[in-house]
Amino acid sequence: MNLERNYIKLIFGLKLKQARTNRNLSLFGLAKITGLSKSYLNEIEKGKKYPKTDKIILLSEKLEVPYDNMVSLKLDNNLAPIGEILKSGILKEIPLELFGIQEDDLIDIIANAPAKVNAFISTIIEIAQHYNLSRESFFLASLRSYQEAQNNYFENLEQKVEHFAKAFHVDLDLQISLDELKAILVEEYNYKIIELVFSEHEELGDLRSIFVPKSKTLLISTDVDEFQKAFIFAKEIAYNYLEIKERLYTFSWIKFDNFDQVLNNFYASYFAGALLLPKKKLIDNLNLFVSREAPKPQEFVQLISDFKVSPETFYQRLTNILPKDFQLKNLFFLRMSHKVGSGNYKIKKELHITNQQEPHANEMNEHYCRRWVSVKTIIESIKQNKNHFFDAQISRYENSNNEYLVFSSATPDPFKKDHIRSISVGILITPTLKKKFKFIDNESIIKQVVGVTCETCAVKNCLERAAAPIQLERKRRNENTDLIVNSYIQKYS
């Protein structure tokens, strides 16, 4: 964006408009006392033009505002948040064009209703501070919104994978091997690959890899398994084949400098998932699975294992394929984390296609519903000491009555001691799903009424409840108060 070059013009326009309205002058009135045209003044106030020095002197004299105040970039307190957010660069970092927002549109919105925009920005800042939302959270939410707007399916990246396969003579009907991925990095892109014990440094315990751009060296943690290593190699291939320059150098990432790095990290991950789980082969295998009337849990686990990828990579790929090729466009993805022995279950990643549906992350430290299969698979994996515990459940959300078929896999987190994580995909039960998934009415699938958090849940006599429904009770109390107040108003009207 070009906000920097327009910033001075926009600030001057805001200050001119504020000075004019403070004197109760219309644009016509200001034009009359200055001799400047109304259209010219309108262009200035909208941030389209910046007047020459003699015009600024004239305006400052007629509006009785010191010249230095007019040309200063400092805004009065009532407009200060607009200046702060423009100076912060946050708008520049997000490619607003992804969401169909043009720079001129943004400038017009601010210039035409500065007080309302200021109130909106102040509200956002206050909410962010109240819920401790970071720059990181803001960028990830922006990325998630972009994915959701595209149904998390990117045809251009799917085609890039096909073009790559042809160029490198990779058979997408077969599983690309770890050795082949490594050979492409070394022989085509001149990588050096070195395995190191990251765990020797406590600070590196969560990292899987580090890329050193100057020497094109990929440092890999010895703790990663073959599935994770394949994904890392495929992702590095993506960075090179897609000619991505603005990138992150660690996996998992520990910092980013701008939104482009976050977006490009997603593109590379998408490419890697599409390469390791080729579209046609995955669709064929899924069709075989969903056509069975009574598949066993281990058959789904085997479905994942056949592709030699981690459960997370597999479930992420489902969010690409199901909306596009199975016409199942209402689904959610969750990654939950739990430290063994604690009572906390945290949502670390979420995606909702096509609407903001249940379940969703909560920033108020409330307790997620213990009836979720995402939580239950974690509990069972600990009880049964299994490296991969899978289960499925039909969940009906009490607040909306929406029903979802939810698949969930729980595995130990290799990078966090005593942590278990679950990966889940929930698909809204519709006539389309019932037609495609032959086992949906199978009695072996548990049906459960669930909430989102215990604090907001109205399910009665819930034995799994981890906290009282205090938020729900507060809401009901306010509603009852409102009813009584209205009854008095009607009675004494």
Side-chain angles (χ1 to χ4, degrees):
M1 293 184 66
N2 297 314
L3 279 172
E4 291 104 329
R5 79 172 180 223
N6 287 326
Y7 174 69
I8 295 175
K9 290 191 290 185
L10 179 58
I11 293 298
F12 186 88
L14 291 174
K15 298 186 78 166
L16 177 61
K17 185 173 185 178
Q18 186 178 44
R20 174 177 63 78
T21 55
N22 285 344
R23 293 206 61 201
N24 295 317
L25 276 172
S26 66
L27 271 174
F28 180 86
L30 182 60
K32 191 170 183 179
I33 65 173
T34 59
L36 302 174
S37 72
K38 179 183 171 184
S39 60
Y40 176 66
L41 292 170
N42 187 45
E43 291 285 285
I44 295 174
E45 288 194 357
K46 286 190 173 184
K48 305 298 184 183
K49 291 183 178 178
Y50 192 87
K52 293 182 179 179
T53 303
D54 60 328
K55 302 291 193 302
I56 298 175
I57 293 172
L58 175 63
L59 288 167
S60 64
E61 288 177 351
K62 297 299 182 182
L63 291 171
E64 299 178 358
V65 176
Y67 176 89
D68 289 345
N69 285 1
M70 288 291 289
V71 298
S72 169
L73 295 180
K74 185 177 180 181
L75 287 165
D76 291 347
N77 288 339
N78 61 336
L79 291 178
I82 290 178
E84 289 301 315
I85 202 165
L86 289 172
K87 285 192 293 185
S88 72
I90 193 84
L91 296 176
K92 178 187 68 176
E93 293 187 48
I94 298 178
L96 294 173
E97 62 273 10
L98 288 179
F99 304 97
I101 301 173
Q102 300 301 317
E103 180 185 336
D104 287 347
D105 298 334
L106 190 64
I107 297 298
D108 284 343
I109 290 170
I110 295 174
N112 288 331
K116 292 180 180 179
V117 172
N118 183 72
F120 175 73
I121 291 173
S122 297
T123 301
I124 295 298
I125 291 172
E126 185 173 342
I127 291 172
Q129 291 173 339
H130 183 70
Y131 291 103
N132 197 29
L133 296 180
S134 61
R135 177 171 175 264
E136 167 191 314
S137 300
F138 183 73
F139 281 159
L140 291 178
S142 299
L143 172 62
R144 189 164 61 243
S145 296
Y146 174 54
Q147 290 176 253
E148 292 167 0
Q150 303 296 323
N151 290 334
N152 204 31
Y153 182 82
F154 295 83
E155 182 64 38
N156 63 321
L157 292 175
E158 300 283 347
Q159 291 175 356
K160 289 285 187 181
V161 170
E162 292 180 5
H163 296 161
F164 168 84
K166 290 179 182 178
F168 286 81
H169 201 62
V170 172
D171 188 348
L172 291 178
D173 291 329
L174 303 175
Q175 182 68 41
I176 187 169
S177 70
L178 185 63
D179 288 340
E180 191 170 7
L181 292 168
K182 183 177 181 179
I184 292 171
L185 283 177
V186 173
E187 297 176 22
E188 179 70 18
Y189 297 117
N190 301 314
Y191 269 50
K192 288 185 284 187
I193 299 173
I194 301 173
E195 295 193 12
L196 294 176
V197 182
F198 283 11
S199 56
E200 287 182 349
H201 301 276
E202 184 179 349
E203 294 81 3
L204 300 182
D206 293 342
L207 294 187
R208 296 158 176 77
S209 67
I210 301 171
F211 177 66
V212 184
K214 189 173 182 179
S215 61
K216 298 198 79 170
T217 301
L218 182 63
L219 306 176
I220 297 273
S221 170
T222 54
D223 290 331
V224 302
D225 58 29
E226 298 298 289
F227 300 159
Q228 293 165 336
K229 192 178 293 184
F231 184 81
I232 292 168
F233 287 171
K235 193 171 174 182
E236 289 298 324
I237 288 172
Y239 275 130
N240 286 272
Y241 186 74
L242 299 176
E243 299 181 342
I244 292 173
K245 305 299 181 186
E246 197 72 43
R247 58 160 293 176
L248 301 172
Y249 296 116
T250 62
F251 179 65
S252 302
W253 55 268
I254 54 175
K255 70 171 185 176
F256 52 78
D257 296 320
N258 52 60
F259 181 77
D260 281 347
Q261 291 179 342
V262 178
L263 182 62
N264 289 336
N265 178 69
F266 164 70
Y267 286 153
S269 296
Y270 189 106
F271 184 101
L275 179 59
L276 297 174
L277 290 141
K279 181 178 175 180
K280 183 180 180 303
K281 183 179 179 182
L282 178 57
I283 291 172
D284 291 343
N285 287 18
L286 283 174
N287 277 323
L288 285 174
F289 178 80
V290 302
S291 66
R292 296 169 186 160
E293 294 187 358
K296 297 178 181 178
Q298 55 265 36
E299 291 180 60
F300 193 87
V301 175
Q302 187 60 49
L303 179 61
I304 299 174
S305 300
D306 287 344
F307 283 96
K308 296 181 173 58
V309 296
S310 69
E312 179 162 5
T313 300
F314 184 85
Y315 282 75
Q316 286 272 22
R317 187 65 172 140
L318 288 183
T319 66
N320 309 141
I321 298 302
L322 292 177
K324 174 67 176 178
D325 295 283
F326 286 76
Q327 289 75 54
L328 299 171
K329 296 186 177 181
N330 291 278
L331 57 84
F332 64 78
F333 169 93
L334 284 187
R335 183 177 74 208
M336 296 197 76
S337 178
H338 169 73
K339 184 176 182 180
V340 179
S342 74
N344 294 327
Y345 296 85
K346 298 180 179 179
I347 292 178
K348 292 295 187 178
K349 192 171 186 178
E350 64 175 322
L351 187 69
H352 298 266
I353 305 170
T354 56
N355 298 305
Q356 180 67 31
Q357 307 150 352
E358 310 97 340
H360 50 79
N362 183 283
E363 299 290 342
M364 298 173 65
N365 295 320
E366 294 182 3
H367 298 76
Y368 296 115
C369 180
R370 298 315 196 236
R371 292 183 174 186
W372 287 356
V373 69
S374 306
V375 174
K376 290 158 70 175
T377 51
I378 290 175
I379 294 171
E380 287 302 315
S381 72
I382 296 171
K383 282 184 180 178
Q384 300 185 29
N385 195 27
K386 283 192 173 182
N387 282 328
H388 184 171
F389 185 85
F390 168 82
D391 201 359
Q393 175 176 295
I394 293 176
S395 296
R396 179 171 68 82
Y397 281 84
E398 192 275 339
N399 290 336
S400 66
N401 285 324
N402 286 333
E403 281 193 322
Y404 293 85
L405 171 64
V406 188
F407 299 110
S408 183
S409 291
T411 60
D413 188 332
F415 297 94
K416 288 189 176 179
K417 187 179 179 181
D418 298 328
H419 277 73
I420 306 292
R421 58 190 177 187
S422 68
I423 311 297
S424 307
V425 165
I427 313 162
L428 185 68
I429 297 178
T430 62
T432 301
L433 181 140
K434 289 182 177 180
K435 184 177 179 180
K436 292 180 180 294
F437 288 64
K438 302 301 183 184
F439 57 82
I440 191 64
D441 293 321
N442 193 297
E443 294 182 357
S444 64
I445 302 179
I446 295 173
K447 295 185 177 182
Q448 185 69 274
V449 177
V450 302
V452 177
T453 68
C454 294
E455 286 80 353
T456 60
C457 182
V459 174
K460 296 180 179 179
N461 303 318
C462 177
L463 299 178
E464 295 90 346
R465 183 180 290 281
I470 55 175
Q471 295 293 349
L472 182 66
E473 291 169 355
R474 183 180 293 115
K475 178 184 176 183
R476 286 176 174 171
R477 186 167 59 250
N478 290 340
E479 289 172 349
N480 290 335
T481 301
D482 186 51
L483 285 173
I484 295 172
V485 168
N486 284 329
S487 71
Y488 274 102
I489 291 173
Q490 292 176 5
K491 181 177 179 180
Y492 292 99
S493 292

